[in-house]
Amino acid sequence: MPPFKQFVPILDWGRRYNRESLASDGLAAVIVTIMLIPQSLAYAMLAGLPPQVGLYASMLPLVAYALFGTSTTLSVGPVAVVSLMTASAIGQFADAGTAAYIQAAVLLAFMSGGMLLLFGLLRMGFLANFLSHPVIAGFITASGIIIAVSQLRHVLGVQGGGDNLVHLLDSLAGSVETLHIPTLVVGSLTLLFLFWIRSGLKPLLMRLGMNDYWAAMLTRTGPVIAVVATSYAAWALDLGSHGVALVGAVPSGLPSLQLPSIIPGELSQLAVSALLISIIGFVESVSVGHTLAARRRQRINPDQELIGLGAANMASAFSGGYPVTGGFARSIVNFDAGAATPAAGAFTAFGIAIVALFFTPSLAYLPQATLAATIIVAVLSLVDFSILRRTWNYGFSDFTAVAITILVTLGLGVEIGVACGVLVSLALHLYKTSRPHMAVVGEVPGTGHFRNVERHKVITRSDILSLRVDESLYFANANFVESHIYSLLDKQPEVRHVILLCTAVNEIDLSALEALESVNRQLADRGITLHLSEVKGPVMDVLRQTHFLDDLSGKVFLSQHAAVAHVSELEDAGHGPAPHNWEI
Amino acid sequence: MPPFKQFVPILDWGRRYNRESLASDGLAAVIVTIMLIPQSLAYAMLAGLPPQVGLYASMLPLVAYALFGTSTTLSVGPVAVVSLMTASAIGQFADAGTAAYIQAAVLLAFMSGGMLLLFGLLRMGFLANFLSHPVIAGFITASGIIIAVSQLRHVLGVQGGGDNLVHLLDSLAGSVETLHIPTLVVGSLTLLFLFWIRSGLKPLLMRLGMNDYWAAMLTRTGPVIAVVATSYAAWALDLGSHGVALVGAVPSGLPSLQLPSIIPGELSQLAVSALLISIIGFVESVSVGHTLAARRRQRINPDQELIGLGAANMASAFSGGYPVTGGFARSIVNFDAGAATPAAGAFTAFGIAIVALFFTPSLAYLPQATLAATIIVAVLSLVDFSILRRTWNYGFSDFTAVAITILVTLGLGVEIGVACGVLVSLALHLYKTSRPHMAVVGEVPGTGHFRNVERHKVITRSDILSLRVDESLYFANANFVESHIYSLLDKQPEVRHVILLCTAVNEIDLSALEALESVNRQLADRGITLHLSEVKGPVMDVLRQTHFLDDLSGKVFLSQHAAVAHVSELEDAGHGPAPHNWEI
């Protein structure tokens, strides 16, 4: 593909677009639009933004993703975790709902979009791989709890706030006497209804003879029914004048296009948050995209996804929105509804535009408690502590990384939580590689294969130490490996040859080379010869550029078997160390 | 050893102490004391502290190290790099020479001592391994340049300052018109003399028939001669009244023991600096200790060294000193002079105490230019850019880490420099492991060994893909490996069996296991069987705890040869995939 076309996938799939695709995409767009309206309003509220900002973030970004994204089914827009992160980032220096707050949200979308585009152009999609699956799972679970608890105040009708579980619970407990009964009634009825829809409606519909597809689709309209019913109740019973918080007047019309106002001080304050939002948004989006693409035997291109999401966030910033990404729930709906190409997203944007133009007056009576209830039900489905059990059974590092991610996210907030998760999992990995497993090996009789003496019945000789190092040799483990060799020799003083089996040594860096040179010298002082076996091609290439192979007291063998055979023969014949040269 | 004795090595070597050890240690102490006086004064000046603080840091810390350290020859006290780091840390919030500045230096020694003790008790000596040799070499070289340039102003007699090369050169250039000729004369004569001593004196003495040992010892007295000669000149010519900066009145007597005054605000401001000073000091000390111990076929214990250095810094703090560590130059002198046990250090402390009690009046006439010249000559011997050439020839990662360490240290200062060096080298290592080398392998005819098809003449079959992954499988590379397998299959659509050769796979974490499960499922969908071979014991143990082996479409083989033989037989006999079970 020519360089330009590569960055604009629509030029590829657009040429194959036909009436059939149009029908599939159109139907999917109608269904997603209906679902997206309450979601956009709710997540805007979660982010501390006025409801129309949620609608704005659900229009142009979808068109931008349709032009540049590679997933056929990913639905981009406001999502729960990114909305929470937005609130947490901006809340530090502006009050929710003020003009400065909205401006900062737009700037955040702009910065996040810029970073994603930059990473995409630099082909840095691989960065997302440094977030391990367990860390993501733990982070999403902990974020889900924080989000659910943060919305409880709207259901209870009390004041409160906070960035982490401790502050949130504290503030709820402190304001419990201000409980507002009418709000509580609306909120808890909506909650009960939505939980029943989730768990009871689909089985009921299927028992009534509805097929699986339509039962699932109808079940997903739950939030829309709740919105319509509670809005009607609020209008009919005049709940607003009884103190139930309503969404209120939502400005109608399309967003005006504008350049984000860039304030240098805010740029540096928001930089880390924008980076974390970009990474989390990208990872969430790519994992949804991967999962759905695999079901259709398609693939997505992570580097191009960066560009698609970057363009979407830029579009959000230029149209008064806030950071967006590919959401799990709505993408599933889009997928199930049969979206065939990214155009479905653009059609959805059109649907939202219609709502923004003509239906905002009917949103004025919508109780905030209803939106909070839809958020709580949506995010509780993200909460899944089974990752703790699974990692506990699997291994120390994975468990520790997840446990720390969950605890820190709950206790100190989302930004520190995800940063800790990444750092802890990398630190644990580095710690493990800094103390590699090393096995003394011997030959499994008659096979030519060498295995750990502690696990297998193998043949060894007291004058040969065959040692397998199960790790690349680099600065973090070079001293450890060197000391381990000396301590093995202390225990087995009759050794005359040390043979390092290098099957697992994928790299030898300069620090490790210096350690090997030191081992070679110190062994030579004691009259012990150092050999290597099964050195990989790329490692051998590097060693050949140095003096190490010339200075090595022993040889390099193609196999451990050949090494042991050669050395044994020499020793049994009473010869000294092998003459200097090496084979490969 | 009982737990307590393990932490106090003197209980071990002290019982074997005899008259012979006493004679060796005593002689070494006399020589080191003479050398240490100008050094202590000079490094105190480098750290921005009054001269007596350098003397204080050269008494009790040596006794503490003698009680708790494991190196027989390491000489602890003020060193150049740590002095520079001290100045750079404290300079941010106090003016050099003020009482607040001295107090902060004491606090820094206290914090650094506490951290080292803590790391020692937690047995965390391994942390030092994360500083690679090339990064250390680059850091020392860059620090040497900064130190040398920072001392130029004392030789030129101008004002100036700065934490990094840019600021230092800027400030020198800006104050060149204030050049003070008498100071310049003293400074440059001393510099010339010291350079001549280094390069010309030893050969001359040896030509005059002196043996190598005494020639080297006499050469090392150079700074002392310079100190005596320029002090005399300053007194005789009354240089002080001509504007040459002299050391001035140094309070005589021993330091009074005192608790450091702990100011909570300073604690948090100094924490990062104290940590970096601890790590750099520890690494410098351990590498000197290792080098010297190896020459005597001794070993040092890094975890116990942490305790020894921690105790030394605590002792420094309690006696009005500043951070100390094991220095290279003076340890070499100690070693060459024949120090037999850590007691030599305690005797040196006694020597310094004599000087502090009786000889301080004679230090008053010592020109600061002389001290600056001794520092410049000492640190220029640390400057060695050959590490750039060596790493350039060796490999991209090592070179990049060194180059960044040097540039950042010179451009932004020592603390950021060393932190960048560690982070960049770890990041490069992680980047490499996130995109592992993978080789399609085939059998070297008749050997049973499998090698890269691109490097060797090997036998392959079009229906079998034998793939060797040259890295542990973990979250950072799981997606990459998965994608690589699919792209290989796209190129070779007739493959019916994929056999992963796992000799280099030392770990499979949960993220990687999920990726393998996904590969297994996707291959099964396409009618391709997935096998593993040569899985290591520890990895197999982990896999056995999961369902992976039950779900695996193929088998686990003891060797790649067995795997290929088994699969070939099945395919040639026209069978389907192997019945489900696995061997190891």
Short mmCIF file of all heavy atoms in Angstrom, two decimals, chain B residues 398-448:
data_model
loop_
_atom_site.label_atom_id
_atom_site.label_comp_id
_atom_site.label_asym_id
_atom_site.label_seq_id
_atom_site.Cartn_x
_atom_site.Cartn_y
_atom_site.Cartn_z
N ASP B 398 23.63 -0.83 24.66
CA ASP B 398 24.66 -0.37 25.58
C ASP B 398 25.13 1.02 25.19
O ASP B 398 25.28 1.90 26.05
CB ASP B 398 25.84 -1.36 25.59
CG ASP B 398 25.57 -2.56 26.48
OD1 ASP B 398 25.14 -2.36 27.62
OD2 ASP B 398 25.80 -3.70 26.04
N PHE B 399 25.33 1.24 23.88
CA PHE B 399 25.81 2.55 23.43
C PHE B 399 24.79 3.64 23.75
O PHE B 399 25.14 4.71 24.28
CB PHE B 399 26.11 2.54 21.93
CG PHE B 399 26.46 3.90 21.40
CD1 PHE B 399 27.73 4.43 21.64
CD2 PHE B 399 25.55 4.66 20.70
CE1 PHE B 399 28.06 5.69 21.18
CE2 PHE B 399 25.87 5.93 20.24
CZ PHE B 399 27.14 6.44 20.47
N THR B 400 23.53 3.38 23.45
CA THR B 400 22.50 4.38 23.69
C THR B 400 22.43 4.74 25.17
O THR B 400 22.34 5.91 25.54
CB THR B 400 21.13 3.84 23.24
OG1 THR B 400 21.26 3.35 21.91
CG2 THR B 400 20.08 4.92 23.28
N ALA B 401 22.48 3.72 26.02
CA ALA B 401 22.38 3.97 27.47
C ALA B 401 23.55 4.84 27.92
O ALA B 401 23.37 5.81 28.68
CB ALA B 401 22.35 2.65 28.23
N VAL B 402 24.75 4.53 27.46
CA VAL B 402 25.92 5.32 27.86
C VAL B 402 25.82 6.74 27.33
O VAL B 402 26.06 7.71 28.06
CB VAL B 402 27.22 4.68 27.32
CG1 VAL B 402 28.40 5.61 27.59
CG2 VAL B 402 27.46 3.36 27.97
N ALA B 403 25.48 6.86 26.05
CA ALA B 403 25.44 8.19 25.43
C ALA B 403 24.42 9.07 26.15
O ALA B 403 24.70 10.23 26.47
CB ALA B 403 25.10 8.06 23.95
N ILE B 404 23.25 8.50 26.44
CA ILE B 404 22.23 9.30 27.13
C ILE B 404 22.69 9.66 28.54
O ILE B 404 22.52 10.80 29.00
CB ILE B 404 20.89 8.54 27.15
CG1 ILE B 404 20.31 8.51 25.72
CG2 ILE B 404 19.89 9.18 28.12
CD1 ILE B 404 18.99 7.81 25.59
N THR B 405 23.31 8.70 29.23
CA THR B 405 23.79 8.99 30.58
C THR B 405 24.79 10.15 30.56
O THR B 405 24.70 11.08 31.37
CB THR B 405 24.47 7.74 31.19
OG1 THR B 405 23.56 6.65 31.11
CG2 THR B 405 24.86 7.98 32.63
N ILE B 406 25.73 10.09 29.63
CA ILE B 406 26.75 11.15 29.57
C ILE B 406 26.12 12.49 29.22
O ILE B 406 26.34 13.50 29.89
CB ILE B 406 27.85 10.78 28.54
CG1 ILE B 406 28.65 9.58 29.06
CG2 ILE B 406 28.78 11.97 28.28
CD1 ILE B 406 29.77 9.14 28.16
N LEU B 407 25.27 12.49 28.17
CA LEU B 407 24.68 13.76 27.73
C LEU B 407 23.80 14.37 28.82
O LEU B 407 23.89 15.57 29.09
CB LEU B 407 23.85 13.54 26.46
CG LEU B 407 24.67 13.31 25.19
CD1 LEU B 407 23.75 13.02 24.01
CD2 LEU B 407 25.52 14.55 24.91
N VAL B 408 22.96 13.55 29.43
CA VAL B 408 22.05 14.09 30.44
C VAL B 408 22.82 14.54 31.68
O VAL B 408 22.52 15.58 32.26
CB VAL B 408 20.95 13.07 30.79
CG1 VAL B 408 20.08 13.59 31.92
CG2 VAL B 408 20.09 12.78 29.57
N THR B 409 23.83 13.78 32.08
CA THR B 409 24.62 14.18 33.24
C THR B 409 25.31 15.52 32.98
O THR B 409 25.28 16.43 33.81
CB THR B 409 25.66 13.10 33.60
OG1 THR B 409 24.99 11.86 33.77
CG2 THR B 409 26.40 13.45 34.88
N LEU B 410 25.93 15.63 31.81
CA LEU B 410 26.60 16.90 31.48
C LEU B 410 25.60 18.03 31.35
O LEU B 410 25.83 19.13 31.84
CB LEU B 410 27.38 16.76 30.16
CG LEU B 410 28.64 15.89 30.20
CD1 LEU B 410 29.27 15.84 28.82
CD2 LEU B 410 29.63 16.42 31.22
N GLY B 411 24.48 17.74 30.70
CA GLY B 411 23.55 18.82 30.36
C GLY B 411 22.60 19.19 31.48
O GLY B 411 22.20 20.35 31.61
N LEU B 412 22.20 18.21 32.30
CA LEU B 412 21.17 18.50 33.30
C LEU B 412 21.61 18.21 34.72
O LEU B 412 20.88 18.50 35.66
CB LEU B 412 19.89 17.71 32.99
CG LEU B 412 19.22 18.02 31.64
CD1 LEU B 412 18.09 17.04 31.36
CD2 LEU B 412 18.69 19.45 31.62
N GLY B 413 22.76 17.59 34.89
CA GLY B 413 23.25 17.37 36.25
C GLY B 413 23.32 15.90 36.63
O GLY B 413 22.77 15.03 35.94
N VAL B 414 23.97 15.64 37.75
CA VAL B 414 24.28 14.26 38.14
C VAL B 414 23.05 13.45 38.53
O VAL B 414 22.94 12.27 38.17
CB VAL B 414 25.29 14.22 39.31
CG1 VAL B 414 26.70 14.37 38.78
CG2 VAL B 414 24.99 15.26 40.36
N GLU B 415 22.12 14.05 39.25
CA GLU B 415 20.99 13.25 39.75
C GLU B 415 20.12 12.78 38.59
O GLU B 415 19.80 11.60 38.48
CB GLU B 415 20.16 14.06 40.74
CG GLU B 415 20.97 14.44 41.97
CD GLU B 415 20.10 14.91 43.12
OE1 GLU B 415 18.94 15.27 42.89
OE2 GLU B 415 20.60 14.89 44.26
N ILE B 416 19.73 13.71 37.72
CA ILE B 416 18.92 13.32 36.57
C ILE B 416 19.71 12.39 35.68
O ILE B 416 19.16 11.44 35.10
CB ILE B 416 18.47 14.57 35.79
CG1 ILE B 416 17.77 15.55 36.73
CG2 ILE B 416 17.55 14.19 34.64
CD1 ILE B 416 17.32 16.82 36.05
N GLY B 417 21.01 12.63 35.57
CA GLY B 417 21.85 11.82 34.69
C GLY B 417 21.83 10.35 35.08
O GLY B 417 21.59 9.48 34.24
N VAL B 418 22.06 10.07 36.35
CA VAL B 418 22.14 8.66 36.74
C VAL B 418 20.75 8.03 36.69
O VAL B 418 20.60 6.87 36.27
CB VAL B 418 22.83 8.50 38.12
CG1 VAL B 418 21.96 8.99 39.24
CG2 VAL B 418 23.20 7.05 38.35
N ALA B 419 19.71 8.79 37.05
CA ALA B 419 18.36 8.24 36.98
C ALA B 419 18.00 7.90 35.54
O ALA B 419 17.47 6.82 35.25
CB ALA B 419 17.36 9.24 37.56
N CYS B 420 18.34 8.80 34.61
CA CYS B 420 18.08 8.53 33.19
C CYS B 420 18.84 7.29 32.73
O CYS B 420 18.31 6.47 31.97
CB CYS B 420 18.54 9.69 32.33
SG CYS B 420 17.26 10.86 32.01
N GLY B 421 20.08 7.18 33.16
CA GLY B 421 20.89 6.03 32.74
C GLY B 421 20.22 4.72 33.12
O GLY B 421 20.10 3.80 32.30
N VAL B 422 19.76 4.63 34.37
CA VAL B 422 19.12 3.39 34.83
C VAL B 422 17.83 3.16 34.04
O VAL B 422 17.59 2.06 33.51
CB VAL B 422 18.79 3.47 36.34
CG1 VAL B 422 17.99 2.27 36.77
CG2 VAL B 422 20.07 3.56 37.14
N LEU B 423 17.00 4.20 33.93
CA LEU B 423 15.72 4.02 33.27
C LEU B 423 15.88 3.67 31.79
O LEU B 423 15.20 2.78 31.28
CB LEU B 423 14.86 5.29 33.42
CG LEU B 423 14.42 5.55 34.85
CD1 LEU B 423 13.58 6.82 34.94
CD2 LEU B 423 13.61 4.37 35.41
N VAL B 424 16.80 4.34 31.11
CA VAL B 424 16.98 4.06 29.69
C VAL B 424 17.49 2.64 29.48
O VAL B 424 17.01 1.92 28.59
CB VAL B 424 17.95 5.08 29.05
CG1 VAL B 424 18.39 4.63 27.67
CG2 VAL B 424 17.28 6.44 28.96
N SER B 425 18.44 2.20 30.32
CA SER B 425 18.95 0.85 30.08
C SER B 425 17.88 -0.20 30.37
O SER B 425 17.75 -1.19 29.64
CB SER B 425 20.25 0.59 30.85
OG SER B 425 20.13 0.95 32.19
N LEU B 426 17.06 0.04 31.40
CA LEU B 426 15.97 -0.91 31.67
C LEU B 426 14.94 -0.86 30.54
O LEU B 426 14.44 -1.90 30.09
CB LEU B 426 15.30 -0.59 33.00
CG LEU B 426 16.13 -0.91 34.25
CD1 LEU B 426 15.40 -0.47 35.51
CD2 LEU B 426 16.44 -2.41 34.32
N ALA B 427 14.60 0.35 30.08
CA ALA B 427 13.60 0.47 29.02
C ALA B 427 14.07 -0.22 27.75
O ALA B 427 13.30 -0.92 27.08
CB ALA B 427 13.30 1.94 28.75
N LEU B 428 15.35 -0.06 27.41
CA LEU B 428 15.86 -0.71 26.20
C LEU B 428 15.82 -2.23 26.36
O LEU B 428 15.49 -2.96 25.41
CB LEU B 428 17.29 -0.26 25.91
CG LEU B 428 17.40 1.17 25.38
CD1 LEU B 428 18.85 1.63 25.39
CD2 LEU B 428 16.84 1.25 23.96
N HIS B 429 16.17 -2.70 27.56
CA HIS B 429 16.10 -4.15 27.78
C HIS B 429 14.67 -4.65 27.61
O HIS B 429 14.41 -5.64 26.94
CB HIS B 429 16.63 -4.50 29.17
CG HIS B 429 16.47 -5.95 29.50
ND1 HIS B 429 17.28 -6.91 28.95
CD2 HIS B 429 15.57 -6.60 30.27
CE1 HIS B 429 16.89 -8.09 29.38
NE2 HIS B 429 15.86 -7.94 30.18
N LEU B 430 13.73 -3.92 28.23
CA LEU B 430 12.33 -4.34 28.14
C LEU B 430 11.84 -4.27 26.69
O LEU B 430 11.10 -5.14 26.23
CB LEU B 430 11.45 -3.46 29.03
CG LEU B 430 11.62 -3.71 30.52
CD1 LEU B 430 10.93 -2.64 31.34
CD2 LEU B 430 11.07 -5.09 30.89
N TYR B 431 12.26 -3.22 25.97
CA TYR B 431 11.84 -3.10 24.57
C TYR B 431 12.31 -4.32 23.78
O TYR B 431 11.55 -4.91 23.01
CB TYR B 431 12.41 -1.82 23.97
CG TYR B 431 12.08 -1.67 22.51
CD1 TYR B 431 10.79 -1.34 22.11
CD2 TYR B 431 13.03 -1.88 21.52
CE1 TYR B 431 10.46 -1.22 20.78
CE2 TYR B 431 12.72 -1.75 20.18
CZ TYR B 431 11.43 -1.42 19.81
OH TYR B 431 11.11 -1.31 18.49
N LYS B 432 13.57 -4.70 24.01
CA LYS B 432 14.08 -5.87 23.28
C LYS B 432 13.28 -7.12 23.60
O LYS B 432 12.93 -7.89 22.71
CB LYS B 432 15.57 -6.09 23.61
CG LYS B 432 16.49 -5.35 22.67
CD LYS B 432 17.93 -5.74 22.93
CE LYS B 432 18.43 -5.16 24.23
NZ LYS B 432 19.82 -5.45 24.52
N THR B 433 13.01 -7.34 24.90
CA THR B 433 12.28 -8.56 25.24
C THR B 433 10.84 -8.49 24.77
O THR B 433 10.17 -9.51 24.69
CB THR B 433 12.29 -8.83 26.76
OG1 THR B 433 11.57 -7.80 27.42
CG2 THR B 433 13.70 -8.92 27.30
N SER B 434 10.35 -7.27 24.46
CA SER B 434 8.97 -7.18 23.99
C SER B 434 8.86 -7.52 22.50
O SER B 434 7.75 -7.69 21.99
CB SER B 434 8.41 -5.78 24.26
OG SER B 434 8.85 -4.87 23.28
N ARG B 435 9.97 -7.58 21.79
CA ARG B 435 9.96 -7.96 20.38
C ARG B 435 11.00 -9.04 20.19
O ARG B 435 12.03 -8.83 19.56
CB ARG B 435 10.30 -6.76 19.50
CG ARG B 435 9.44 -5.54 19.77
CD ARG B 435 9.95 -4.33 19.04
NE ARG B 435 9.59 -4.35 17.65
CZ ARG B 435 8.45 -3.85 17.18
NH1 ARG B 435 7.58 -3.30 18.00
NH2 ARG B 435 8.17 -3.91 15.92
N PRO B 436 10.75 -10.22 20.75
CA PRO B 436 11.79 -11.24 20.79
C PRO B 436 12.18 -11.75 19.39
O PRO B 436 11.39 -11.71 18.46
CB PRO B 436 11.17 -12.36 21.60
CG PRO B 436 9.72 -12.16 21.53
CD PRO B 436 9.51 -10.68 21.39
N HIS B 437 13.42 -12.20 19.29
CA HIS B 437 13.87 -12.90 18.10
C HIS B 437 13.14 -14.24 18.03
O HIS B 437 13.01 -14.94 19.03
CB HIS B 437 15.38 -13.12 18.23
CG HIS B 437 15.99 -13.87 17.09
ND1 HIS B 437 16.41 -15.18 17.20
CD2 HIS B 437 16.23 -13.50 15.82
CE1 HIS B 437 16.90 -15.57 16.04
NE2 HIS B 437 16.81 -14.57 15.19
N MET B 438 12.61 -14.57 16.86
CA MET B 438 11.98 -15.88 16.68
C MET B 438 12.56 -16.50 15.42
O MET B 438 12.68 -15.83 14.40
CB MET B 438 10.47 -15.74 16.56
CG MET B 438 9.81 -15.54 17.92
SD MET B 438 8.04 -15.30 17.81
CE MET B 438 7.96 -13.53 17.65
N ALA B 439 12.91 -17.76 15.50
CA ALA B 439 13.55 -18.41 14.35
C ALA B 439 12.73 -19.62 13.93
O ALA B 439 12.38 -20.45 14.77
CB ALA B 439 14.97 -18.84 14.72
N VAL B 440 12.43 -19.71 12.62
CA VAL B 440 11.89 -20.95 12.09
C VAL B 440 13.07 -21.90 12.00
O VAL B 440 14.13 -21.53 11.49
CB VAL B 440 11.26 -20.72 10.70
CG1 VAL B 440 10.82 -22.04 10.09
CG2 VAL B 440 10.10 -19.75 10.82
N VAL B 441 12.91 -23.10 12.56
CA VAL B 441 14.05 -24.02 12.62
C VAL B 441 13.77 -25.30 11.87
O VAL B 441 12.62 -25.66 11.61
CB VAL B 441 14.43 -24.36 14.09
CG1 VAL B 441 14.92 -23.13 14.82
CG2 VAL B 441 13.26 -24.99 14.81
N GLY B 442 14.86 -25.97 11.46
CA GLY B 442 14.77 -27.28 10.82
C GLY B 442 15.92 -28.12 11.34
O GLY B 442 16.82 -27.61 12.03
N GLU B 443 15.88 -29.40 11.01
CA GLU B 443 16.88 -30.31 11.57
C GLU B 443 18.18 -30.27 10.78
O GLU B 443 18.18 -30.39 9.55
CB GLU B 443 16.33 -31.75 11.60
CG GLU B 443 17.28 -32.70 12.32
CD GLU B 443 16.67 -34.08 12.54
OE1 GLU B 443 15.49 -34.27 12.20
OE2 GLU B 443 17.39 -34.95 13.05
N VAL B 444 19.30 -30.10 11.49
CA VAL B 444 20.60 -30.26 10.86
C VAL B 444 20.71 -31.75 10.53
O VAL B 444 20.61 -32.58 11.44
CB VAL B 444 21.74 -29.83 11.82
CG1 VAL B 444 23.09 -29.95 11.13
CG2 VAL B 444 21.51 -28.40 12.32
N PRO B 445 20.86 -32.11 9.23
CA PRO B 445 20.69 -33.51 8.85
C PRO B 445 21.50 -34.47 9.71
O PRO B 445 22.69 -34.28 9.93
CB PRO B 445 21.19 -33.53 7.39
CG PRO B 445 20.99 -32.12 6.91
CD PRO B 445 21.20 -31.24 8.09
N GLY B 446 20.79 -35.50 10.21
CA GLY B 446 21.46 -36.57 10.94
C GLY B 446 21.87 -36.26 12.36
O GLY B 446 22.44 -37.11 13.04
N THR B 447 21.61 -35.04 12.87
CA THR B 447 22.10 -34.71 14.21
C THR B 447 21.01 -34.70 15.27
O THR B 447 21.31 -34.79 16.46
CB THR B 447 22.72 -33.30 14.23
OG1 THR B 447 21.67 -32.35 13.98
CG2 THR B 447 23.82 -33.16 13.21
N GLY B 448 19.74 -34.54 14.87
CA GLY B 448 18.69 -34.36 15.87
C GLY B 448 18.66 -32.96 16.42
O GLY B 448 17.84 -32.64 17.27
#
